[in-house]
Amino acid sequence: MDKDALELVRRLADWLRGSSPALPPEASELRPFDLAEASEALEQDEVLRLLGALEPEIAAETLEHLDFTAQYRLLDKLPPEASGAILAAMSSDGLADLVKAVHPRQAEALLVRLEAGEAATIRRLITYPEHTAGAIMTADYISVRCNQTAAGVLEHIRKVAEEAEVYAYIYVVDNRGRLAGAMSLRELILAEPASQVETFMTHDLVSVNGYADQEQAARLLADYDFVAIPVVDDAGRLLGVISVDDVLDVVQDEATEDIQRLGGSAPLDEPYLESSFTRLFRKRIGWLLLLFVVQSITSNILGFFQSFLEQVVALAFFVPLLIGTGGNAGGQAATLVIRAMALGEIGCGDVLRVVWREARLALTLGVTMAAATLGWALLLGQSAALGLTVALSVAAVVLVGSTVGALMPLVGRRLGFDPAVFSAPLITTVADTVGLLVYFQIARVVLGLAR
């Protein structure tokens, strides 16, 4: 919040502590997001007084910036008339998210304050599973029939535009509710008033099924530079619309989950600083224990080849280098492949192409790294034989790490796991295990070691 907004909040707080029933004019200069931030520093009675004084539309948008628990608590404390007006002004997708987040009894208490038609719409929206297009769509759009005129559509928009969240496009449906076309406001304004909609609407539309993954909707919006995209059922009936602001939230959430999973941690359902100590512990301890178990393989390998280390102590100096290089190469490949999968650039059918491409690249990278490693070993005063051992091992580790890193996400997707979750713990383990085995076998041959 900027300094000007903070000053307005201070004036608003002074009003809340006073007795004047009228909202000060300064409050109109605050955006809903600023009002939501300000409410976090206020007592509940003060927030209730503020919401009751705001226009229902502003109060609704302010509430949607708060967490679901706070939303329900405030709506429950408001008088039924005030809470009903605010609920009616909330966006359908925002209200559906609230209803899904609270206890069923609390959800029912909210729905009974809505008109029957609005309540039925929300009940339909909450039937869609999480992470589907239907779960993030809104029912607040404008639709018309094919046989309406441009003048008739403009008159219709004047009546319903205030209730619509998406009005950049006007969608056209037939008498069975199937999506037939769409038009932009510009096309509508430029059309002859007496011309029928079907003569100037766009017929070839891009849409998404309600049960499709929400990431598919996000990709379509990005690929076609749409402001919104219609959601339809299997019969082509218009169900709702997904707007850009809904997709931005999806992209942020999906990116956050992928980053947390790539780090070997279960994703958090709430902001880091708002997560309890116990929740943070539970989200991380499972993966740490799993990684501890799989990394114990490395210790066993080192113990198995202890005699080699006793014969050439300098071999131990390069173990961290090999382990780190293999993990880094695998991490690079996995990150690129996971991102390409998220963007729809590659799928499970591209396994051979991806592995072949990554193997060739890894071989080139490995040879380059081997040359650098050989030079480094000689610079440290090691023998040429030991330098060659480490160099060949680095080349092999980069090849294995990169290939495994590229393969693991695709295998994970094929087995039904999240690619990021499946890849993170396995890449390091495989790279470390294979790298040490290769290292000691090359040392046995080049240096003539015996067990």
Side-chain angles (χ1 to χ4, degrees), residues 308-309 312-319 386 389-390 439-440 443 447 449:
F308 285 10
L309 296 175
V312 183
V313 177
L315 284 172
F317 300 160
F318 296 96
V319 169
L386 180 58
T389 298
V390 179
Y439 182 41
F440 287 120
L447 301 177
L449 302 179

Side-chain angles (χ1 to χ4, degrees), residues 213-220 222-223 258 335-350 353-354 410 413 419:
D213 192 281
Q214 60 184 11
E215 290 189 42
Q216 180 182 344
R219 284 197 299 269
L220 289 173
D223 291 343
D258 287 345
T335 301
L336 292 173
V337 170
I338 290 172
R339 184 56 181 164
M341 292 173 67
L343 295 175
E345 297 173 353
I346 59 176
C348 295
D350 298 309
R353 291 178 58 196
V354 171
L410 293 166
R413 174 66 62 81

Side-chain angles (χ1 to χ4, degrees), residues 23 72 74 100 105 110 176 207 261-262 300 342 367 374:
L23 193 67
Y72 175 78
L74 292 169
K100 286 190 292 186
R105 287 197 300 271
L110 294 176
R176 295 185 179 180
S207 61
R261 284 168 172 158
L262 279 171
N300 293 333
V367 170
L374 178 60

Side-chain angles (χ1 to χ4, degrees), residues 64 88-97 100 121-122 124-126 128 132-143 163-169 171 208 210 217 221 227-232 238-247:
E64 290 188 39
M90 290 180 69
S91 63
S92 59
D93 52 337
L95 184 51
D97 289 339
K100 286 190 292 186
T121 297
I122 300 304
R124 176 171 59 86
L125 291 178
I126 63 177
Y128 287 91
T132 62
I136 61 171
M137 70 181 178
T138 178
D140 303 325
Y141 58 89
I142 301 174
S143 64
E163 301 175 3
E165 180 182 348
V166 178
Y167 48 81
Y169 303 126
Y171 296 96
V208 64
L221 277 170
V227 176
I229 187 169
V231 182
V232 298
L238 182 61
L239 301 173
V241 176
I242 298 175
S243 59
V244 168
D245 60 331
D246 298 321
V247 166

Side-chain angles (χ1 to χ4, degrees), residues 401-416:
S402 297
T403 306
V404 170
L407 183 62
M408 284 295 103
L410 293 166
V411 172
R413 174 66 62 81
R414 175 67 71 179
L415 296 177

Side-chain angles (χ1 to χ4, degrees), residues 52 81 98 114 143 198-199 216 268 278 303 361 382 392 414:
E81 299 79 9
L98 171 59
L114 296 171
S143 64
E198 61 183 355
T199 63
Q216 180 182 344
L268 296 173
T278 304
L361 178 60
Q382 303 296 335
L392 291 174
R414 175 67 71 179

